[in-house]
Every structure is written in structure tokens, then in C-alpha cells.
Amino acid sequence: MRSYYQLLSQDCVLQFASINFDASLEQIFSTLITGAKLVLRDRVWTIAEFIQKIVKHEITVINIPPIYWQQWLQEYR
């Protein structure tokens, strides 16, 4: 996954998947072995909160479910 996302130590990755879901391992461990910054999601954010977190933490890598993408696009069209 590190190669797939072309992660660098300067990246900031959002851990979006629930911690009890296997996709979270991809988001967490590939970030840590690269030395990049990891932003943990503590709950489901509103789209406005999501945008604020991206800006605040300067997130460079996001892997979110399609339904969340759709909500994001609908909110900001």
C-alpha cells in the first residue's frame, strides 16, 4: 500500500476506516512504516467537519467510501 499510494514521510494520511475493520490496517500501518503523519478519526464527521480536518491537518491522502464521496460532492457543488 505504501507503493500504491506513493507515500512519503511528508504525507499526512487520514485513517477513516473503523478501527475494527481490516481497511484500517492499510491506512495505519502503511503510514507508520513510511514515517508519515496519521490523523485518527474518532467518529463520523459531518462534511463540514471533514473539510475543516483536511485543511487543519493538511491531509494529503484520503481513502473514503463512495457514499461519503457522494455526500461531499453534493454538499459542495
Side-chain angles (χ1 to χ4, degrees):
M1 292 317 301
R2 187 171 102 180
S3 297
Y4 179 79
Y5 287 113
Q6 299 178 5
L7 290 177
L8 303 172
S9 60
Q10 299 88 348
D11 281 315
C12 181
V13 179
L14 173 62
Q15 178 271 315
F16 189 88
S18 172
I19 199 76
N20 17 343
F21 188 55
D22 62 350
S24 69
L25 298 176
E26 165 190 310
Q27 296 169 345
I28 294 169
F29 291 122
S30 60
T31 303
L32 296 179
I33 64 171
T34 304
K37 179 181 172 184
L38 181 65
V39 175
L40 301 173
R41 182 180 62 92
D42 55 351
R43 59 183 171 75
V44 177
W45 300 324
T46 65
I47 298 300
E49 291 172 320
F50 178 67
I51 300 297
Q52 289 172 352
K53 300 286 184 177
I54 291 171
V55 172
K56 177 182 176 183
H57 297 288
E58 298 178 349
I59 296 173
T60 57
V61 179
I62 301 170
N63 182 6
I64 59 177
I67 190 67
Y68 206 80
W69 274 111
Q70 289 173 349
Q71 290 175 353
W72 185 8
L73 290 174
Q74 287 176 356
E75 184 90 16
Y76 290 95
R77 274 194 201 188

